[in-house]
């Protein structure tokens, strides 16, 4: 196996390429394989990214509303917050994460296929 120092010295001497043995090539491939994704994994990641984009704005709005309401409630009575207020805050945050097909952007293909 070549060490990094050997390879650097090889290039410093003016070489343009490095020749690897089969074992060295297989070792490189083993490392690369750990970072490769299948088509199914990639599409799942894309779907999750789209879901996060759809959810992000309503969740941030809900967080801002809930934090403001919590601040007001705690400023009035710091040791006695009613249970119904806490339940309302929790419901607002949970419902902000639920996204319907109508929440898709106007040009998204999934919006029109379900709207008909």
């Amino acid at each position: 196996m070549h060490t990094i120092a050997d390879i650097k010295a090889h290039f410093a001497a003016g070489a343009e390429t490095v020749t690897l043995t089969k074992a060295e090539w297989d070792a490189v491939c083993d490392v690369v394989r750990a970072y490769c994704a299948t088509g199914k994994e990639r599409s799942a990641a894309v779907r999750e990214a789209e879901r996060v984009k759809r959810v992000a704005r309503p969740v941030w709005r809900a967080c801002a509303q809930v934090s403001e309401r919590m601040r007001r409630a705690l400023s009035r009575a710091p040791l006695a917050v009613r249970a119904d207020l806490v339940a309302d805050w929790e419901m607002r945050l949970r419902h902000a994460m639920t996204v319907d097909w109508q929440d898709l952007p106007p040009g998204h293909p999934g919006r029109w296929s379900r709207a008909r």
Side-chain angles (χ1 to χ4, degrees):
M1 272 317 251
H2 296 298
T3 64
I4 292 182
D6 293 339
I7 293 172
K8 284 183 180 179
H10 188 69
F11 284 127
E16 292 292 323
T17 62
V18 174
T19 304
L20 300 175
T21 64
K22 172 86 166 108
E24 291 169 336
W25 176 251
D26 289 342
V28 169
C29 288
D30 288 341
V31 171
V32 170
R33 241 180 249 116
Y35 294 101
C36 292
T38 63
K40 183 182 268 189
E41 293 168 336
R42 184 187 168 284
S43 62
V46 168
R47 278 194 308 275
E48 179 63 14
E50 286 180 6
R51 188 191 72 78
V52 168
K53 286 178 194 173
R54 289 190 311 266
V55 170
R57 183 171 287 145
V59 168
W60 277 111
R61 261 190 254 126
C63 287
Q65 290 171 354
V66 168
S67 68
E68 176 61 25
R69 290 174 187 197
M70 288 174 80
R71 187 188 61 71
R72 277 190 269 136
L74 292 172
S75 68
R76 284 191 294 253
L79 300 176
V81 176
R82 297 188 335 243
D84 63 327
L85 288 177
V86 175
D88 179 57
W89 299 335
E90 181 184 8
M91 183 223 30
R92 286 183 183 281
L93 292 173
R94 285 188 190 279
H95 284 249
M97 290 185 278
T98 305
V99 177
D100 193 15
W101 65 267
Q102 296 166 338
D103 297 326
L104 292 170
H108 196 281
R111 181 181 178 116
W112 303 115
S113 63
R114 291 184 181 96
R116 292 176 192 154

